[in-house]
Amino acid sequence: MNIHEYQGKEILSSFGVRVQRGIVAQDPKEAVEAAKKLTEQTGTGWHVIKAQVHAGGRGKGGGVKLAKNLQEVEEISGQIIGMNLVTPQTSAEGKKVHQVLIAEDVYYPGDNEPEEYYMSVLLNRATGRNMIMYSTEGGMDIETVAEETPHLIFNEEIDPSTGLLPFQARRIAFNLGLSGTAFKEMTKFVMSLYEAFTKSDSTLFEINPVLKTSDDKIMAVDAKVTLDDNALFRHKDYAEMRDEREESPVEVEARAVGLNYVDLDGNVGCMVNGAGLAMATMDLIKQAGGEPANFLDVGGTADAKRVEEAFRLILKDEKVKAILVNIFGGIVRCDRVAQGIVDAYKNMGNINVPIIVRLQGTNADIAKELIDNSGLDVYSAVEFQEAADKVQEVLA
Ligand code: GDP
Ligand code: MN
């Protein structure tokens, strides 16, 4: 589950990670109140107004702006709230901004220039260990850094039996070229960041930039935090951070009926039981020259009701030109599923794209007969390849 920057910072802060302080606001009036309160806490009169949407690159899209007085706080908040923010990470239509974070300006002048670093914590799937990825090149696209100057990206892998050790945090601070106060601050920052990562059951922290202020404080200026959905049951307070306005409406609906659905860009809808078979089916569609419109695992109990719910979800997507149903009947009998498909088709009455059904397993032959005799625009296939060829045929 993705959360907003301000929520990510709340989590970090609760584990003692220093963050750029801020208060979230829903409208320009609240924004001014927030700015006043922050000034009392921090003493700074300058604030940054930051659009809160689930997408990065907000600065580039005009979603992060500096306000030098309360009047500017009000004006800029008014511009940003309600705008459709387009960034390199959103679609061309952008994302509607419902709220802004009013944050203290931490790029104030001093003895040194403020400096930006990049830091993320994530799982290295190749080694099965968490790692901290970091770079001196903060504030910009890490993808660009990886492409043009890969030697400026460092990794620190963590042994799960010991956790992050202090010498590793010191190595990070050293590689970032720090010394003195900033060095100590960075080791503390890294240790608490990693503790926050593991204790919050996150799957990704991306802090870009981590800032060294002009007076050598180290803090998180941005926070992209992804929480592990499977661990939300033990973090009730985090579960409440879900903002459904930021999620795909179809995915929200799918979750409500307990279907495992991921929206994709293609033209072939898929309904499959089992995540592995769903992945293989998507490969198959690609191989046949199509593009999957979704990932959908209907789970072990593919009865008529579930099949109908799944069809409804898939058909909400107007890009869908064909639907491939690929079900392995192990626990569930194929003829049951076939009946479910025929019933759902008739019940819904508005299915106007061809459906290719591949049922394998218990009673597959009876299922094929059921489909073939239904008189509906449904094609049955027995072999994987047959199904692929049929998809290609109906798309042509
Ligand atoms: P992103 O564009 O979505 O990644 O949003 P960030 O939170 O990373 O902010 C974008 C940029 O805004 C940062 O890289 C900074 O250059 C700038 N910025 C953020 N906070 C401040 C601040 O307190 N003062 C100033 N002057 N600039 C800031
Ligand atoms: Mn950022």
Side-chain angles (χ1 to χ4, degrees):
M1 176 175 108
N2 289 325
I3 56 176
H4 288 292
E5 172 196 359
Y6 79 93
Q7 297 165 322
K9 283 176 165 172
E10 273 170 24
I11 294 179
L12 294 185
S13 186
S14 73
F15 289 97
V17 180
R18 193 199 293 276
V19 301
Q20 174 191 40
R21 286 168 292 184
I23 299 172
V24 73
Q26 315 294 325
D27 59 56
K29 249 183 140 168
E30 271 186 38
V32 171
E33 289 313 308
K36 281 186 190 159
K37 219 181 199 173
L38 269 178
T39 301
E40 278 171 28
Q41 290 171 16
T42 66
T44 169
W46 288 15
H47 299 94
V48 263
I49 318 295
K50 310 182 80 177
Q52 296 301 288
V53 291
H54 288 187
R58 295 162 303 165
K60 282 186 196 127
V64 179
K65 288 198 168 134
L66 184 67
K68 296 188 175 174
N69 53 51
L70 290 178
Q71 194 190 335
E72 285 183 11
V73 168
E74 189 168 0
E75 280 170 16
I76 295 170
S77 302
Q79 287 160 16
I80 294 182
I81 296 170
M83 85 188 277
N84 270 326
L85 182 59
V86 181
T87 86
Q89 293 184 20
T90 67
S91 65
E93 298 97 70
K95 286 204 124 176
K96 178 131 183 168
V97 182
H98 299 283
Q99 48 192 357
V100 288
L101 178 63
I102 310 302
E104 61 174 330
D105 169 35
V106 285
Y107 287 60
Y108 44 82
D111 294 342
N112 306 305
E113 281 293 308
E115 274 195 59
E116 296 180 324
Y117 311 111
Y118 172 92
M119 191 171 293
S120 56
V121 190
L122 68 166
L123 177 69
N124 179 350
R125 290 177 188 275
T127 60
R129 293 179 172 206
N130 287 334
M131 65 178 179
I132 299 176
M133 192 189 283
Y134 61 103
S135 174
T136 49
E137 307 306 288
M140 49 197 276
D141 239 16
I142 197 65
E143 286 80 7
T144 313
V145 182
E147 232 164 73
E148 290 169 8
T149 49
H151 59 284
L152 295 178
I153 298 182
F154 301 91
N155 285 328
E156 189 69 43
E157 283 219 351
I158 294 112
D159 184 332
S161 63
T162 58
L164 179 70
L165 294 170
F167 85 88
Q168 296 183 288
R170 289 197 294 273
R171 179 153 62 196
I172 292 172
F174 179 80
N175 284 339
L176 289 172
L178 301 174
S179 59
T181 310
F183 185 97
K184 280 190 205 129
E185 278 263 330
M186 183 59 86
T187 51
K188 208 175 125 227
F189 181 89
V190 171
M191 292 303 292
S192 53
L193 190 71
Y194 190 69
E195 190 194 355
F197 179 80
T198 50
K199 292 213 172 135
S200 62
D201 287 316
S202 291
T203 55
L204 173 70
F205 273 6
E206 189 177 46
I207 316 296
N208 189 20
V210 171
L211 186 75
K212 176 165 78 89
T213 62
S214 60
D215 52 354
D216 282 348
K217 291 195 183 84
I218 301 291
M219 65 171 72
V221 164
D222 195 1
K224 175 176 168 54
V225 169
T226 306
L227 300 167
D228 185 348
D229 290 278
N230 295 316
L232 284 178
F233 73 93
R234 54 182 189 190
H235 300 284
K236 295 280 184 301
D237 45 338
Y238 298 169
E240 282 166 19
M241 291 180 171
R242 187 182 291 284
D243 186 349
E244 291 193 337
R245 295 174 299 189
E246 297 291 325
E247 301 182 336
S248 137
V250 195
E251 288 182 18
V252 172
E253 210 182 311
R255 191 168 45 244
V257 295
L259 287 168
N260 197 350
Y261 177 99
V262 181
D263 215 0
L264 299 168
D265 295 329
N267 52 1
V268 182
C270 333
M271 187 193 308
V272 190
N273 66 339
L277 189 58
M279 298 298 283
T281 305
M282 288 160 58
D283 283 348
L284 180 85
I285 289 169
K286 280 212 159 216
Q287 207 174 12
E291 283 288 332
N294 65 277
F295 168 98
L296 172 58
D297 173 9
V298 289
T301 55
D303 57 16
K305 186 165 162 278
R306 263 184 110 62
V307 168
E308 189 170 329
E309 275 163 351
F311 271 133
R312 277 188 204 288
L313 279 175
I314 293 174
L315 288 166
K316 288 230 158 107
D317 184 349
E318 285 168 8
K319 296 186 301 294
V320 169
K321 296 284 172 287
I323 298 176
L324 175 58
V325 181
N326 194 6
I327 303 264
F328 178 74
I331 299 168
V332 59
R333 275 167 30 205
C334 290
D335 54 320
R336 281 255 182 98
V337 178
Q339 193 60 53
I341 292 166
V342 173
D343 290 351
Y345 199 106
K346 287 183 178 155
N347 267 341
M348 289 178 67
N350 61 346
I351 300 184
N352 47 20
V353 297
I355 298 177
I356 299 103
V357 181
R358 172 179 182 259
L359 292 162
Q360 266 295 8
T362 314
N363 290 352
D365 43 347
I366 307 177
K368 182 168 167 29
E369 240 178 78
L370 253 165
I371 300 273
D372 289 344
N373 297 334
S374 68
L376 304 171
D377 193 10
V378 180
Y379 308 90
S380 66
V382 178
E383 298 302 326
F384 222 22
Q385 190 55 49
E386 212 182 325
D389 293 343
K390 199 74 208 174
V391 169
Q392 204 161 24
E393 196 184 310
V394 300
L395 285 179

